[in-house]
Amino acid sequence: MLLQNVCINGWESRVEVFPVALSRAPGVLNLYGEGTGASLVPGWSGVPKSYVSRVPVSTLDLVLGTWLIQKRNFFLVDVEGVELAMLNGAFARLDSAAESAWMIEVCISEHLLEGATINAHALQTFDMFWSRGFSAYTVDGTARLVTPAVIQRILDTGVDDLGTPNFVFLRNPVASELIAALSIT
């Protein structure tokens, strides 16, 4: 579907597609489901564990190598429950001095494993950014600041009142420019 959309938009010579899933280490893993809800996590969002195929897996750092390492980047990440694992394979990008922005879908209380009500890895996922000087904001038209205390409260109470699974992680000076853009409804 991605390749079809690239062609429909006439971007064949403007993009480079890496047909691999991203995680913490290279290899071959099971992919459960298909389409936009497919995940490396068995049972993610109620997909039967029997609905499986094998896919190549690599890390963001290996796929991109030194390409764009010191340039300002915008990473758009939607990896259906594998956010923490993907970030564990992206240290070169996370630790880069470049003022990059990351927009990530981190499902805190939706599309989880069967029986789970809260994403047990949410705090660790956000901390991958906070420990590197990033700030987190909701991507919902309000750009609310998300702090460690907010995520801890959600984990403690089981009540996710953020109203969105979409977040942007920024370090200044990028932050002020993007926060203004995110606040536009």
Side-chain angles (χ1 to χ4, degrees):
M1 190 178 296
L2 172 64
L3 296 176
Q4 183 178 3
N5 281 319
V6 166
C7 292
I8 288 169
N9 286 287
W11 297 341
E12 297 91 340
S13 64
R14 296 177 56 195
V15 300
E16 186 170 358
V17 176
F18 300 93
V20 298
L22 295 176
S23 192
R24 71 180 45 121
V28 176
L29 293 175
N30 288 335
L31 180 70
Y32 300 91
E34 69 176 358
T36 62
S39 177
L40 297 175
V41 179
W44 180 258
S45 195
V47 172
K49 293 179 185 174
S50 61
Y51 192 178
V52 64
S53 57
R54 305 285 281 168
V55 295
V57 180
S58 192
T59 70
L60 185 64
D61 285 344
L62 287 173
V63 168
L64 295 181
T66 59
W67 190 50
L68 305 174
I69 193 71
Q70 293 302 323
K71 296 187 188 270
R72 194 174 184 182
N73 295 282
F74 178 77
F75 295 96
L76 177 60
V77 179
D78 185 357
V79 291
E80 302 302 325
V82 193
E83 298 81 19
L84 183 58
M86 185 278 306
L87 292 170
N88 275 309
F91 290 121
R93 294 307 185 277
L94 290 168
D95 294 334
S96 171
E99 294 300 331
S100 294
W102 295 73
M103 185 180 293
I104 302 182
E105 180 187 66
V106 181
C107 292
I108 296 176
S109 62
E110 59 276 300
H111 307 296
L112 303 175
L113 294 173
E114 189 173 327
T117 56
I118 294 291
N119 179 348
H121 300 292
L123 188 59
Q124 291 171 283
T125 301
F126 278 76
D127 193 54
M128 291 290 282
F129 292 98
W130 291 326
S131 66
R132 290 168 170 81
F134 285 83
S135 296
Y137 300 89
T138 59
V139 179
D140 61 355
T142 64
R144 290 173 288 155
L145 179 67
V146 180
T147 65
V150 168
I151 299 299
Q152 190 61 58
R153 177 184 45 77
I154 292 170
L155 294 174
D156 291 345
T157 64
V159 177
D160 178 4
D161 59 356
L162 291 174
T164 183
N166 299 307
F167 303 91
V168 67
F169 299 87
L170 310 165
R171 278 189 283 199
N172 286 328
V174 167
S176 59
E177 298 168 25
L178 283 176
I179 291 304
L182 292 171
S183 296
I184 299 170
T185 55

